[in-house]
Amino acid sequence: MDATGLELVAQRVRDGVGDDSVVSTSFFRRQATLEVAPASVRDVLEHMRDRDEEPWEFLSSLHGCDYLPDEPRLGIHYQLLSMERLDRINVKTRVGVEEPVVPSVMDLYPTANHQEREVYDMFGVVFEGHPDMRRILMPEDYEGHPQRRDFPIGGEPVLFTYNEKKLPNWYG
């Protein structure tokens, strides 16, 4: 896909979903990115999979990103693949930390199941409509979201008890 192809896809999405669905487009280092409004992300992905004249039938990746200090700071990136054309497009949306909610696309792309749970666990983005929205990597009682840029680095000190009596207590 080139920059012209990206603009054609964006126009088809605007025509099929609504003018306010597409926030912007960018073509950088041969990567096409369509930025969409958070409330429209599910409708856009459904349109691109089912109703676009050049369908994007496979979700190859769904991941999160923290753009601190920019606002809205939490990004959700969907990388779609056309198996027929062997072409990729990135669809992204951004939400604030105050209300990090986007619609789930698990029913459209079953591969999103664990990926949405991981973004929830690491960044705190809630995927509304996901049937099992709980932590996948961290313990259920863990507080915070470790991939956010404002998460404290260093964590808790680890005590090695095998030589506890021989060494001074460094941790108070």
Side-chain angles (χ1 to χ4, degrees):
M1 171 171 296
D2 58 8
T4 304
L6 173 62
E7 293 305 322
L8 292 172
V9 170
Q11 188 56 52
R12 290 195 307 262
V13 169
R14 286 183 188 104
D15 293 343
V17 180
D19 285 336
D20 58 346
S21 60
V22 177
V23 174
S24 67
T25 60
S26 68
F27 189 80
F28 181 68
R29 294 187 179 170
R30 297 188 308 186
Q31 294 285 321
T33 302
L34 186 67
E35 185 169 350
V36 300
S40 301
V41 70
R42 186 186 179 347
D43 294 334
V44 168
L45 292 174
E46 184 176 24
H47 172 82
M48 293 178 75
R49 187 193 74 168
D50 297 337
R51 296 186 307 273
D52 194 35
E53 64 187 50
E54 295 178 342
W56 304 89
E57 57 276 338
F58 184 69
L59 176 70
S60 61
S61 176
L62 187 163
H63 54 278
C65 184
D66 189 346
Y67 290 101
L68 185 71
D70 296 344
E71 288 293 336
R73 63 180 261 203
L74 299 177
I76 302 94
H77 297 255
Y78 304 83
Q79 188 170 68
L80 303 179
L81 174 66
S82 167
M83 302 294 275
E84 181 181 324
R85 296 182 313 280
L86 297 177
D87 204 0
R88 294 180 188 273
I89 189 170
N90 300 311
V91 177
K92 81 173 184 178
T93 191
R94 289 175 64 170
V95 294
V97 294
E98 305 80 38
E99 195 172 329
V101 179
V102 294
S104 175
V105 297
M106 196 190 90
D107 60 324
L108 299 174
Y109 297 104
T111 58
N113 182 11
H114 289 87
Q115 296 175 63
E116 287 182 348
R117 286 182 58 196
E118 183 176 359
V119 172
Y120 165 70
D121 197 1
M122 296 290 112
F123 293 94
V125 176
V126 176
F127 292 88
E128 197 170 59
H130 191 286
D132 190 17
M133 186 70 354
R134 61 188 169 94
R135 290 191 178 271
I136 192 167
L137 299 171
M138 305 303 289
E140 280 295 320
D141 60 348
Y142 193 82
E143 292 184 25
H145 303 284
Q147 290 295 310
R148 286 191 180 179
R149 289 190 172 196
D150 57 358
F151 192 80
I153 296 175
E156 300 174 13
V158 178
L159 296 176
F160 297 97
T161 58
Y162 74 93
N163 62 356
E164 184 177 33
K165 304 289 184 214
K166 297 177 187 173
L167 297 174
N169 185 357
W170 297 103
Y171 302 111

